[in-house]
Amino acid sequence: MLEVRDLHSGYGEAHVVRGVSLDVGTAEIVAVLGRNGMGKTTLIRSIMGLTPPQIRSGSITWRGESLVGLRPHDIAARKIAIVPQGRRLFASLTVTEHLTMLKSARAKTGWTVERVFGIFPRLAERRHHRGGQLSGGERGMLAVGRALMVDPQLILMDEPSEGLAPVMVQHLEEIVLGLKREGLSILLVEQNLYSALAVADRVYVLETGQVVHQGDAATLTRQPELLFQHLGVQ
Amino acid sequence: MNTFQLLNGLTFAALLFVVASGFTLIFGLLRIVNLAHGALYLFGGYIGFAVATKTGSFVLGGLGAMAAIAAIGFVLDQGLLRFVRGNELRQVLLTLGFAFVLNDLALVIWGGDSFTVPIPQILRGGMRVLGVFYPTYRLFVLVTGIVVFAALWVLLNHTRLGALIRAGVDDAEMVEASGVNIRRVFLVTFLLGSALAGLGGLMGGAFLSLYPSADAEILVFSLAVVIIGGRGSLVGVGVGSLLVGLLNTLGQVMFPEFAYFVIFGPMAVLLAFRPLGLFGRAVSA
């Protein structure tokens, strides 16, 4: 569904993503691993149409259509959503308002406020609280909920486990696997290797803006020397 | 300060609120310091004056001023500012240039004389409030300011457009990435802010009168209001308007030579302790 080919992208003089190619299929969870500063966020931002960075060359194709040059809301309209790094909730909006930005609270098609509250009951309890008043776990849930309101077929997740307690990471993994069962695809960018390997079907390892390894998540789990070499994990 | 002066301060604050609320909406959401806002106010006053004189209707004057200034705002935003988006210095300079052009245009059309917008019969004369005999029209300005505050409060806090505007003040990029065309929200906000400047022009034109350079005076006051209250905050504009309105009156009465200092002295002190203003918030990361 998503095809990235030889993508080069960066900020001004900084050439961050250097010729990345990757694919995400239907109902597939693909993880992009790498240490800090390896170009993971730049890759996600480039796919979502967020600028900067500027895309220099290469292609991003979604169901046969090029996404390069489209504005983020046009890309969202093509059913791609983002859970950005650091969540980036709106401090002055209530939980419900985060979910009704795009469609009215009474909308009945696709994802609805009630359905999001169904998978995150905690958010329903906090529906009148503002983004700035939520706990770390609640913030993570709301960021996912906000993305779901786009009715996505692909969700780009940038370090969703960042700053979460282990029990919350596990909850998030279950949600991600549940979404996959419903046919959604997920491109997951992570530093938290174990969380990513727990849910991913396939893995790409990014190092200084290039793919240095790709393969099944199961295979990578069995190759500790590879993990150590690229990610510094023992 | 006696009751009469207090009312003077409050009614001036109400006018400032109408003008500065438009200013802060645009500043808060689009991050544009619109230095043409004063010129929009003055031009709105002239248009309101022309329409009100021609039709004999103050209400039509107000509607005409708001519609015309919203239209001019549309030209400014879509015709000029869209080419310098994201470049703050260019935006500010462009609005300054636009203000010069608009003011010269007003000078060509209406000349350098001073005009006062005719007020309807019902608002002429005075009435007794709080033990003093006070001009009815200025009380009307006070009520209008309160009504505009209430309307904006409902718009911002109880409508989806309002939620989008608040979200845009927090993080415009994430609004886009959530599937909303933020530029449409920007445009509506720009038109609304401009229309408020036009309404302010008509209101102010009836008791402060209209003359070349009236734009710079109101712009300086609006800037003070927004800086004191905090960028993009409605409550901040309300409180800032009250402070500036009352301090201005106090200054004129007690220390006429230092009238401006009475406003800008405390403002400087405030900024030293709260650089984002009373109700300002840092942009969320």
Side-chain angles (χ1 to χ4, degrees):
Chain A
M1 297 230 291
L2 181 77
E3 280 178 29
V4 177
R5 288 291 173 270
D6 196 26
L7 184 72
H8 290 259
S9 182
Y11 307 82
E13 295 289 297
H15 187 173
V16 181
V17 169
R18 303 160 176 259
V20 167
S21 298
L22 60 79
D23 295 271
V24 183
T26 306
E28 190 182 29
I29 301 179
V30 172
V32 175
L33 304 174
R35 278 174 289 198
N36 242 342
M38 293 300 167
K40 304 190 299 296
T41 295
T42 307
L43 174 66
I44 290 274
R45 288 182 61 87
S46 301
I47 296 171
M48 195 66 214
L50 297 169
T51 51
Q54 265 73 42
I55 294 174
R56 296 170 185 191
S57 64
S59 66
I60 303 169
T61 315
W62 168 245
R63 295 192 290 197
E65 183 190 11
S66 171
L67 296 182
V68 177
L70 291 182
R71 305 241 322 274
H73 76 269
D74 290 322
I75 291 175
R78 286 161 175 76
K79 301 195 178 301
I80 299 179
I82 185 168
V83 177
Q85 191 172 32
R87 319 287 187 263
R88 292 178 58 181
L89 301 179
F90 305 108
S92 55
L93 261 57
T94 64
V95 167
T96 308
E97 282 173 335
H98 275 84
L99 302 176
T100 52
M101 288 175 59
L102 199 52
K103 37 181 162 177
S104 138
R106 290 179 295 279
K108 288 279 173 271
T109 53
W111 280 90
T112 61
V113 176
E114 290 314 313
R115 206 172 148 205
V116 170
F117 286 163
I119 63 167
F120 297 122
R122 183 79 188 125
L123 289 183
E125 294 166 24
R126 305 277 269 164
R127 67 177 79 201
H128 299 301
H129 287 71
R130 294 184 189 274
Q133 305 167 321
L134 301 179
S135 73
E138 291 159 355
R139 294 170 61 80
M141 294 182 217
L142 184 53
V144 174
R146 176 176 63 184
L148 288 172
M149 293 305 286
V150 172
D151 291 331
Q153 288 178 356
L154 170 67
I155 305 184
L156 311 171
M157 292 191 176
D158 196 346
E159 307 223 357
S161 73
E162 181 191 24
L164 291 187
V167 58
M168 273 310 305
V169 174
Q170 214 169 30
H171 181 44
L172 195 73
E173 287 169 8
E174 286 159 20
I175 297 289
V176 165
L177 289 171
L179 294 174
K180 176 189 161 164
R181 279 194 293 277
E182 293 197 23
L184 268 77
S185 309
I186 291 163
L187 179 63
L188 184 69
V189 155
E190 267 294 355
Q191 283 195 71
N192 182 341
L193 172 82
Y194 298 106
S195 168
L197 289 178
V199 295
D201 299 305
R202 286 189 304 113
V203 173
Y204 294 83
V205 178
L206 223 54
E207 212 171 273
T208 53
Q210 289 172 324
V211 175
V212 291
H213 174 84
Q214 55 178 302
D216 290 345
T219 316
L220 188 61
T221 317
R222 286 194 302 270
Q223 291 176 305
E225 71 282 0
L226 255 176
L227 292 179
F228 180 72
Q229 181 190 340
H230 296 304
L231 302 161
V233 180
Q234 311 221 32
Chain B
M1 199 160 38
N2 59 34
T3 310
F4 195 87
Q5 289 153 357
L6 177 74
L7 284 169
N8 274 348
L10 288 178
T11 51
F12 184 55
L15 173 68
L16 279 183
F17 174 79
V18 172
V19 180
S21 60
F23 189 75
T24 206
L25 275 176
I26 294 171
F27 186 21
L29 181 62
L30 287 78
R31 308 282 151 88
I32 293 174
V33 181
N34 182 8
L35 292 182
H37 203 71
L40 292 176
Y41 159 90
L42 181 58
F43 212 83
Y46 280 127
I47 289 176
F49 164 77
V51 175
T53 322
K54 200 137 228 161
T55 62
S57 162
F58 187 73
V59 173
L60 282 183
L63 293 176
M66 289 173 76
I69 299 308
I72 292 173
F74 182 85
V75 172
L76 172 60
D77 186 58
Q78 293 295 298
L80 298 168
L81 284 170
R82 66 181 299 177
F83 297 108
V84 291
R85 280 215 206 286
N87 188 321
E88 287 179 19
L89 186 60
R90 286 187 195 175
Q91 286 173 344
V92 172
L93 287 176
L94 193 135
T95 61
L96 185 61
F98 193 78
F100 288 145
V101 172
L102 216 50
N103 287 338
D104 276 359
L105 204 59
L107 202 58
V108 169
I109 301 174
W110 289 285
D113 294 339
S114 162
F115 295 100
T116 304
V117 177
I119 53 179
Q121 194 61 45
I122 189 170
L123 296 176
R124 285 184 200 163
M127 60 198 290
R128 191 156 277 285
V129 275
L130 304 173
V132 293
F133 198 68
Y134 198 76
T136 310
Y137 178 76
R138 289 195 69 138
L139 293 171
F140 166 76
V141 170
L142 181 58
V143 171
T144 307
I146 294 169
V147 168
V148 169
F149 178 86
L152 285 177
W153 196 85
V154 170
L155 171 77
L156 285 175
N157 292 298
H158 292 284
T159 68
R160 192 144 104 228
L161 174 65
L164 291 178
I165 291 174
R166 279 181 291 131
V169 171
D170 285 344
D171 188 341
E173 186 181 74
M174 258 330 284
V175 177
E176 272 257 76
S178 303
V180 176
N181 187 350
I182 189 77
R183 288 193 193 159
R184 214 175 285 163
V185 182
F186 282 177
L187 178 61
V188 172
T189 307
F190 203 89
L191 298 190
L192 177 64
S194 302
L196 284 168
L199 176 65
L202 175 93
M203 286 165 56
F207 74 101
L208 301 176
S209 80
L210 305 162
Y211 49 90
S213 85
D215 66 306
E217 289 167 24
I218 203 85
L219 179 68
V220 168
F221 281 119
S222 297
L223 269 170
V225 166
V226 171
I227 290 170
I228 289 173
R231 179 182 65 82
S233 160
L234 185 66
V235 175
V237 179
V239 174
S241 300
L242 283 175
L243 277 175
V244 172
L246 291 173
L247 284 174
N248 181 54
T249 307
L250 185 77
Q252 282 178 347
V253 175
M254 319 254 301
F255 324 96
E257 300 89 349
F258 302 110
Y260 269 119
F261 180 80
V262 172
I263 296 171
F264 291 97
M267 182 179 104
V269 175
L270 174 81
L271 286 184
F273 294 99
R274 285 195 66 94
L276 297 170
L278 288 174
F279 296 88
R281 258 206 318 256
V283 178
S284 57

